[in-house]
Amino acid sequence: MPQNDRDAVKFAYWVPNVSGGLVISNIEQRTNHSAEYNRKLAQVAEQAGFDYALSQIRFTAGYGADEQHESVSFSHDLLAATKTLKVIAAILPGPWNPALAAKQLATISYLTNGRVAINLVSGWFRGEFHAIGEHWLDHDERYRRSEEFIRALRGIWT
């Protein structure tokens, strides 16, 4: 039995802020990536007791994600449509500058009483990096860059 709320299991859902939700299937998808649909989904999740929503980060088409909404801005919209739900915005070091990300997230945190968090994605889709003009790093280098990004965020916030 959990001793306190910090020990309790938390529930989250994956925000379909990309078309197709990154599902590779011939079955017609019942979700969509529109803001209206996602606001309603966030409200339903909040009412059902979900603690978090995790928005995705994609820049290019593929894997059924022909259209994408930027995760941090989209997360802020979901926070504005809810009262207690926390949103985890996916961020990809490389395309994001840590100073801008720190300021953007600190502002959203201020506006929503601390209901935003980040999911730092080190990168996995080489073609996407090349398509947006980002240099592709090998696995260990991507994770070193992520560690540096986290240190930079923490440094800026303190």
Side-chain angles (χ1 to χ4, degrees):
M1 190 78 167
Q3 297 296 321
N4 59 45
D5 188 52
R6 293 191 79 174
D7 297 332
V9 173
K10 306 293 183 189
F11 291 90
Y13 75 94
W14 202 19
V15 174
N17 59 302
V18 300
S19 61
L22 294 181
V23 176
I24 303 172
S25 172
N26 293 329
I27 299 170
E28 184 178 341
Q29 297 302 300
R30 295 179 299 186
T31 63
N32 76 61
H33 68 290
S34 73
E36 297 78 22
Y37 175 84
N38 274 279
R39 284 184 207 116
K40 288 178 186 172
L41 185 60
Q43 291 164 348
V44 167
E46 181 177 62
Q47 291 167 1
F50 278 73
D51 302 289
Y52 295 93
L54 172 60
S55 64
Q56 308 169 55
I57 181 59
R58 288 301 304 274
F59 286 95
T60 62
Y63 297 97
D66 296 330
E67 299 176 26
Q68 317 83 26
H69 296 297
E70 187 276 314
S71 63
V72 177
S73 302
F74 205 77
S75 294
H76 191 200
D77 186 59
L78 299 181
L79 289 164
T82 58
K83 292 180 176 44
T84 60
L85 188 72
K86 295 174 184 75
V87 179
I88 306 167
I91 293 180
L92 186 61
W96 260 278
N97 174 293
L100 178 59
K103 189 68 166 179
Q104 187 178 33
L105 291 162
T107 300
I108 293 170
S109 181
Y110 170 77
L111 294 171
T112 64
N113 294 314
R115 294 190 296 132
V116 67
I118 65 168
N119 173 30
L120 198 67
V121 179
S122 296
W124 62 275
F125 189 22
R126 181 189 308 247
E128 184 172 63
F129 269 68
H130 289 289
I132 63 172
E134 286 290 326
H135 181 68
W136 179 252
L137 303 173
D138 69 27
H139 179 273
D140 292 346
E141 286 298 312
R142 289 194 313 276
Y143 281 82
R144 276 194 274 284
R145 177 174 58 191
S146 292
E147 182 181 351
E148 181 180 313
F149 195 90
I150 291 167
R151 282 197 314 271
L153 289 177
R154 287 184 171 149
I156 292 164
W157 288 331
T158 57

